[in-house]
Amino acid sequence: MNYQTIGEIYEANAKIRQKLKAKIENLSEEQTNLRLNDSGWTIGEIIEHIAIVEFGMATICSRLLQKSVEENIPNDGTANISAEFLEKAALIANRRERKAQAPERVLPSGNLSIADSLAKMEETSKILEQIRTGLETVNTQKYKFPHPFFGDMSATEWLALVGGHEFRHIDQIEEILSA
């Protein structure tokens, strides 16, 4: 997750999305409803959760970029990921060693199909693609928005977290499918 450029973040996020789609594209309805234990999420609920969270992340990125545009400090496409973010990302990278509890506002309802969740994720990808040029050309380091674990994060760090979050849940899906 140590990206040098905004382009590298977008590229990594796209590869992670492809991996997620490949994991779930041929699952039966029975498989999408599997869960490891009574309190765990089904694969369908995991995908719904990802869709909810990523829409929120895209909204945060957009708002932080909008504030940064007003400052009009140029950026040469550099990612400017903080050492603190990288440290915390390394701490939470292994999902099995470090559990995370999702806030209530991003819990899945269980009422959204995987197809609907994926459609929502595609809408979010379009939002993120629309702000790409801004993130590459405007320095977004001044304005931050807090994350419950990572603390204050810039738009670039939120963008990097989109892929990191999805990657953690791919691991969770793999664990469910192998059980």
Side-chain angles (χ1 to χ4, degrees):
M1 204 185 264
N2 191 8
Y3 306 111
Q4 301 305 309
T5 68
I6 303 294
E8 287 176 5
I9 298 172
Y10 275 93
E11 200 175 292
N13 287 354
K15 286 179 183 175
I16 292 167
R17 175 62 55 82
Q18 288 173 340
K19 184 176 180 179
L20 175 68
K21 284 181 173 181
K23 281 283 169 217
I24 64 171
E25 70 184 346
N26 294 317
L27 296 180
S28 67
E29 187 173 339
E30 181 183 350
Q31 288 173 307
T32 63
N33 291 315
L34 289 174
R35 68 178 83 235
L36 282 179
N37 53 51
D38 292 339
S39 63
W41 292 344
T42 66
I43 293 171
E45 290 168 335
I46 293 167
I47 302 302
E48 179 184 359
H49 164 75
I50 293 169
I52 294 166
V53 168
E54 288 184 5
F55 179 77
M57 290 179 178
T59 302
I60 291 167
C61 286
S62 295
R63 288 181 181 157
L64 291 173
L65 175 61
Q66 199 170 35
K67 286 182 177 183
S68 298
V69 165
E70 294 168 12
E71 297 288 320
N72 201 26
I73 300 170
N75 186 24
D76 61 0
T78 304
N80 295 310
I81 303 287
S82 71
E84 181 183 357
F85 177 84
L86 292 174
E87 274 180 41
K88 290 188 176 180
L91 283 175
I92 201 164
N94 188 331
R95 186 189 64 76
R96 294 172 198 200
E97 286 180 17
R98 180 139 186 139
K99 301 288 182 190
Q101 181 63 42
E104 192 169 328
R105 67 184 172 278
V106 296
L107 294 177
S109 68
N111 297 324
L112 208 58
S113 70
I114 286 185
D116 289 342
S117 294
L118 287 172
K120 187 173 182 175
M121 290 165 67
E122 284 307 311
E123 288 175 32
T124 298
S125 292
K126 288 176 185 173
I127 293 168
L128 290 172
E129 196 55 46
Q130 288 170 353
I131 65 171
R132 181 176 180 161
T133 300
L135 291 173
E136 290 177 326
T137 60
V138 176
N139 186 311
T140 61
Q141 302 310 300
K142 181 176 179 180
Y143 295 100
K144 313 270 185 182
F145 189 83
H147 180 277
F149 176 77
F150 286 90
D152 290 343
M153 293 172 34
S154 70
T156 305
E157 291 165 339
W158 279 101
L159 179 66
L161 191 58
V162 168
H165 177 255
E166 208 165 293
F167 190 81
R168 276 180 61 90
H169 285 295
I170 292 170
D171 180 59
Q172 185 180 15
I173 290 167
E174 289 171 344
E175 184 179 18
I176 291 169
L177 291 173
S178 68

